[in-house]
Amino acid sequence: MINNTNDIFNSEFSRNYDAYNGRLGEIGDNLHLLISLLLNDLPQQANILCVGVGTGTEILRLAQRHPEWRFTGVDPSPDMLAVCAEKLEKAGISSRCQLVEGRLDRLPVSGDFDAALCLLVAHFILDAERYGLYDQMASQLRTGGRLVVAEIAGEIDSPAFDEHMAIWARMHEVAGQGTRDPAEMKAQLAERLLLLAPEHTEALIARSGFTPPLRFFQSLLIHGWSACKIAPAAGV
Ligand SMILES: C[S@@+](CC[C@H](N)C(=O)[O-])C[C@H]1O[C@@H](n2cnc3c(N)ncnc32)[C@H](O)[C@@H]1O
């Protein structure tokens, strides 16, 4: 069983999520530009899985550029999914999107997705093995299919982490959260999230049947990786 998601993805949070993220738009723009470049070689009618799709930012960004791609978004928060569904409808793309309420293990294993994205989700899963999330994503992908992951990562006890936290606090101030104390923010992160060292996540991904992950993105504590599913060994 995967743990709860800290009850933070409620109605109020869901309604404010995009506006808050928008104030840090340059970071998101960079991440999504690079993801779009990573996925550039997918087939014209690619099938994309978005785990923890939230309010659907990743679907909307990709759907605009790729009019024939189809999307499946999975998320345990009905409130986040409600906002997502409204946005997909408004953008006129809901006919090529399927939303599933629940965690990834709710979805029948298809093995035919061309890419699987999991953006800003894994740090909410309070288990150092992420309860097999990357194994599940590998099962949903075709051989050669592309994994794209972004999560908050870092070695919380290292001096470098505190330096990052100082800027992290300033970044949240810029995003309109008022004065933030880095030490207090660090304590909150440690209480609510499970941050893994980047190398730990890389090992989890590689162990789940992917090529060695490429760390294609870092903005302070937000790290992004991409890898491709390798062919399962014969007889497996
Ligand atoms: C910070 S939001 C990210 C949403 C979207 N991917 C984005 O980049 O804007 C995190 C999302 O992960 C979802 N989530 C939390 N735990 C999850 C889990 N174990 N499996 C799948 N999704 C999960 C939450 O409900 C929430 O919608």
Side-chain angles (χ1 to χ4, degrees):
M1 257 315 267
I2 295 179
N3 62 285
N4 70 60
T5 56
N6 308 320
D7 294 327
I8 58 174
F9 299 103
N10 54 32
S11 177
E12 190 192 348
F13 182 94
S14 304
R15 296 273 151 202
N16 293 325
Y17 180 75
D18 286 346
Y20 181 73
N21 267 3
R23 289 188 220 122
L24 299 172
E26 286 98 334
I27 295 175
D29 286 346
N30 187 349
L31 175 65
H32 285 280
L33 169 67
L34 296 177
I35 291 174
S36 158
L37 297 175
L38 279 167
L39 300 182
N40 209 36
D41 294 336
L42 294 190
Q44 199 174 339
Q45 299 186 329
N47 228 344
I48 313 292
L49 172 65
C50 300
V51 181
V53 67
T55 60
T57 305
E58 48 269 55
I59 295 185
L60 282 147
R61 296 238 188 190
L62 293 170
Q64 278 161 5
R65 285 176 189 238
H66 303 280
E68 294 183 55
W69 284 11
R70 304 189 70 82
F71 299 87
T72 299
V74 181
D75 199 294
S77 162
D79 293 314
M80 293 292 269
L81 282 183
V83 176
C84 181
E86 269 174 35
K87 288 166 64 185
L88 300 181
E89 189 63 37
K90 203 168 163 196
I93 55 171
S94 42
S95 61
R96 52 191 173 106
C97 302
Q98 180 199 11
L99 297 180
V100 178
E101 186 182 319
R103 297 184 175 106
L104 184 52
D105 51 11
R106 277 286 310 278
L107 199 67
V109 174
S110 73
D112 67 0
F113 284 99
D114 297 291
L117 278 58
C118 187
L119 306 182
L120 307 176
V121 176
H123 46 261
F124 292 107
I125 302 176
L126 307 181
D127 172 71
E129 306 286 308
R130 302 306 193 203
Y131 292 107
L133 175 73
Y134 303 117
D135 288 337
Q136 291 172 34
M137 291 178 81
S139 312
Q140 296 287 356
L141 283 166
R142 64 169 167 80
T143 298
R146 189 171 277 283
L147 176 81
V148 181
V149 171
E151 67 186 56
I152 300 177
E155 296 206 52
I156 206 155
D157 295 324
S158 71
F161 192 89
D162 289 341
E163 286 187 47
H164 274 124
M165 271 327 289
I167 313 173
W168 189 258
R170 235 172 283 150
M171 178 178 84
H172 283 78
E173 288 173 14
V174 168
Q177 284 196 356
T179 308
R180 299 302 306 265
D181 172 29
E184 200 179 298
M185 287 195 91
K186 180 178 173 180
Q188 281 173 358
L189 282 189
E191 188 190 319
R192 296 182 187 170
L193 310 180
L194 178 62
L195 271 48
L196 302 180
E199 296 74 17
H200 185 126
T201 295
E202 285 161 12
L204 286 182
I205 293 172
R207 214 176 65 193
S208 297
F210 290 98
T211 53
L214 171 73
R215 203 185 295 180
F216 71 90
F217 178 85
Q218 183 177 354
S219 186
L220 292 174
L221 302 176
I222 304 171
H223 295 64
W225 293 272
S226 180
C228 291
K229 179 176 169 176
I230 52 181
V236 177

